[in-house]
Amino acid sequence: MAPVATPFFFYLLSGTMLIGGILVITRKNAVHSALALIVTLLAQAAIYLMLYAPFVAGVQIILYAGGIMVLFLFVIMLVSIERTMKERQFNKQWLVGIAAAGALGGLFMAVYTKGKGIFPEHALPTAEAQNTQAVGSLLYGQYMFAFEIASLLLLVAIIGAVVMAKKRI
Amino acid sequence: MDAMLHISTLHYLVLGAALFLLGVIGVLTRRNVVIVLMSIELILNAVNLNLVALSRYWQGVYGPNALHGQVFAIFVITDAAAEAAVGLGILIAFFRNKETINVDEVNLLKW
């Protein structure tokens, strides 16, 4: 069965993501930026579903939109943003920064228009029922070592965050 | 018109590039450290989008179990969580010392 209305949902979700991204980098109030970022992350989770990646979509919602963004909002509450909101929001090099990003964008566009042919379309498989199972067996099979390293990284991050945020060690 | 109506891998890559550029602009131009960290999250998400889209592409080549891109996206999300925790910890320590969250005032190492 062919997917229904894929282009419509793709453009809807990518429009949501881009508007959310623009709001993230332009809002004065950091809380508004965080809320816009949550919208972007949820739209991206829906795009993952369009790409038949339900496990990554679930991880995105639970970990990113649920975990990391709550951490951000807590830190925004801990630091005082009143003073920052009254000040200039963009630094002195903003013109150079936008020019550099524009040059990078031109590079991307050149690569993508020149290399259009290297992604031929294949007969894509339809939704597989065992995506989570397949990801799990890869994580605990072929990527076992990387998985253990990732757990070590998280342990280091926990200790690092506590040491950084603690007043007196 | 056909390019508009048929969503290919390239569409996802272009969307990822656009998000990446938004994140780069945020990192380079904003003064608020919290928003700079959020822009870094945008960049990591753009990379994740590319990884999952290309994983979909390789599934078309090697069959439904070629999920290496998705596995790598999960590792990137793990890294993003660690980075956010440590970055926000540093931010709190900085705010305690300087009473500000502007990147411009992080200039102790400047000549």
Side-chain angles (χ1 to χ4, degrees), chain A residues 6-7 10-11 14 17-18 21-22 24-30 33-34 37 40-41 44 47-48 50-53 55-56 59-60 63-64 68-69 71-72 75-76 78-81 83-84 87-98 100-102 104-105 108-109 112 115-116 118-128 131 134-135 138-139 142-143 146-147 150 153-154 156-157 160-161 164-167, chain B residues 3-42 44-50 52-61 63-96 98-105:
Chain A
T6 311
F10 175 77
Y11 288 115
S14 43
M17 279 173 75
L18 291 179
I22 291 170
V24 169
I25 62 172
T26 50
R27 286 303 90 190
K28 196 177 246 187
N29 191 335
S33 284
L37 186 53
T40 307
L41 296 174
Q44 190 170 6
I47 289 234
Y48 288 158
M50 283 181 64
L51 287 163
Y52 299 104
F55 183 66
V56 184
V59 169
Q60 171 93 2
L63 241 158
Y64 248 119
I68 298 180
M69 290 320 294
L71 192 64
F72 266 101
V75 170
I76 292 170
L78 281 178
V79 301
S80 96
I81 53 172
R83 208 195 111 190
T84 322
E87 289 177 349
R88 219 156 30 84
Q89 292 298 311
F90 294 93
N91 58 23
K92 290 190 205 89
Q93 313 93 314
W94 64 273
L95 211 58
V96 183
I98 290 178
L104 189 61
F108 279 140
M109 283 305 123
Y112 286 156
K116 210 181 250 173
I118 62 169
F119 294 114
E121 285 305 307
H122 296 275
L124 288 173
T126 42
E128 53 276 1
N131 173 274
V135 169
L138 268 181
L139 268 180
Q142 191 179 344
Y143 292 100
F147 189 78
L153 175 79
L154 284 178
V156 172
M164 288 290 176
K166 206 163 154 51
K167 237 181 210 133
Chain B
M4 287 286 285
L5 285 177
H6 182 247
I7 304 300
S8 63
T9 308
L10 202 61
H11 284 76
Y12 293 102
L13 296 189
V14 170
L15 175 61
L19 262 191
F20 188 90
L21 289 177
L22 283 178
V24 169
I25 293 175
V27 169
L28 289 179
T29 61
R30 289 304 298 249
R31 294 177 79 210
N32 190 336
V33 183
V34 184
I35 294 178
V36 170
L37 281 173
M38 284 189 220
S39 303
I40 294 175
E41 301 294 329
L42 271 184
L44 289 169
N45 270 294
V47 174
N48 265 347
L49 184 62
N50 274 14
V52 176
L54 289 172
S55 157
R56 181 75 185 141
Y57 170 74
W58 285 114
Q59 274 177 285
V61 181
N65 279 330
L67 293 168
H68 304 277
Q70 294 185 19
V71 173
F72 207 93
I74 290 166
F75 284 130
V76 172
I77 291 177
T78 316
D79 279 1
E83 171 260 325
V86 175
L88 293 171
I90 292 174
L91 171 59
I92 289 177
F94 174 66
F95 179 74
R96 191 176 294 133
K98 287 243 182 182
E99 293 291 318
T100 177
I101 49 170
N102 277 343
V103 252
D104 292 359
E105 293 173 46

